[in-house]
Amino acid sequence: MNFFEHQDRARQNTQQLIGLFSLSIAVMIMAIYIAALFLFRMAPRVWWHPGLFISVAGITIIAIAVGSLYKIACLREGGSVIAQQLGGRLLIPDMTDEQGRQLLNIVEEMAIASGISVPQVYLLERETSINAFAAGFTPNDAVIGVTRGTLQHLSRDELQGVIGHEFSHILNGDMQLNLRLVGLLHGILFIYLGTSKE
């Protein structure tokens, strides 16, 4: 697969995610509408009440928007907030072990090669799987998070490939899109959490 095919596939996946997100909102509106029909003792006599449907749809969309905007505002501080929420520890050159220093060296090399400032690096000590992420709204507030398993199981060349992949997220603006998606998903979760407490 060449780069352009991979890029087209990524765009298709993004469109599918947006479609699924829209579908989930529609299903949620319908579920709340049906629950409201039973709550107001309209069902099973009346299944379609335009006024009630518009009210339910409006309130649901406003609740999702409020939950989403709240989460996006919380994430505005940059990628370090996400890394800390995931249990990441900021790596500082003077305090890191040999694997940590190697990781910092690779990140610095990649930053120089890509022409951006060196992002902060967080290590997720308790995670033994092989994984990494880039988070932030701009290259200036971006961070890279790496699991302990990634450092333990990958060679330097493999680790460099993983970090290069994360730098592509920083340079292409994928991080910003991902943080917005997290905010939107939190809006849906906001409604679920609100109804599950009742």
Side-chain angles (χ1 to χ4, degrees):
M1 176 190 312
N2 66 30
F3 172 77
F4 296 107
E5 288 175 0
H6 187 67
Q7 194 174 37
D8 289 339
R9 184 172 293 176
R11 283 195 188 103
Q12 289 172 356
N13 290 342
T14 301
Q15 290 171 355
Q16 288 175 352
L17 284 174
I18 292 170
L20 289 172
F21 178 75
S22 302
L23 179 63
S24 67
I25 291 175
V27 168
M28 184 174 290
I29 289 171
M30 287 305 299
I32 294 171
Y33 169 71
I34 291 169
L37 285 175
F38 282 98
L39 181 69
F40 295 122
R41 300 180 192 274
M42 295 178 180
R45 292 178 292 113
V46 177
W47 288 105
W48 178 242
H49 191 284
L52 180 62
F53 180 79
I54 290 170
S55 298
V56 166
I59 291 169
T60 302
I61 290 170
I62 288 170
I64 290 172
V66 167
S68 297
L69 291 173
Y70 168 76
K71 190 63 173 181
I72 290 171
C74 290
L75 298 174
R76 276 274 172 214
E77 296 176 35
S80 59
V81 173
I82 294 175
Q84 290 167 6
Q85 287 177 352
L86 293 172
R89 174 178 60 90
L90 179 64
L91 291 184
I92 301 170
D94 298 339
M95 299 173 58
T96 58
D97 55 20
E98 184 178 336
Q99 289 177 331
R101 280 194 301 275
Q102 176 179 269
L103 174 61
L104 288 175
N105 289 340
I106 292 171
V107 170
E108 188 174 349
E109 291 167 10
M110 296 301 252
I112 291 169
S114 59
I116 63 171
S117 58
V118 180
Q120 292 182 324
V121 181
Y122 283 81
L123 179 62
L124 281 68
E125 285 281 6
R126 295 186 301 265
E127 295 293 329
T128 56
S129 61
I130 298 175
N131 208 346
F133 66 90
F137 278 96
T138 67
N140 294 332
D141 67 13
V143 303
I144 291 180
V146 177
T147 63
R148 176 57 76 179
T150 303
L151 297 185
Q152 290 174 337
H153 299 297
L154 298 185
S155 68
R156 190 184 198 286
D157 289 343
E158 291 168 333
L159 183 58
Q160 194 169 26
V162 168
I163 299 302
H165 175 80
E166 299 310 324
F167 265 86
S168 72
H169 290 307
I170 294 172
L171 293 170
N172 292 321
D174 300 341
M175 302 177 311
Q176 189 174 13
L177 174 64
N178 289 341
L179 289 181
R180 287 188 176 141
L181 287 173
V182 166
L184 292 174
L185 290 174
H186 185 267
I188 292 176
L189 185 63
F190 177 74
I191 290 179
Y192 170 75
L193 292 174
T195 56
S196 64
K197 290 178 182 176
E198 296 175 359

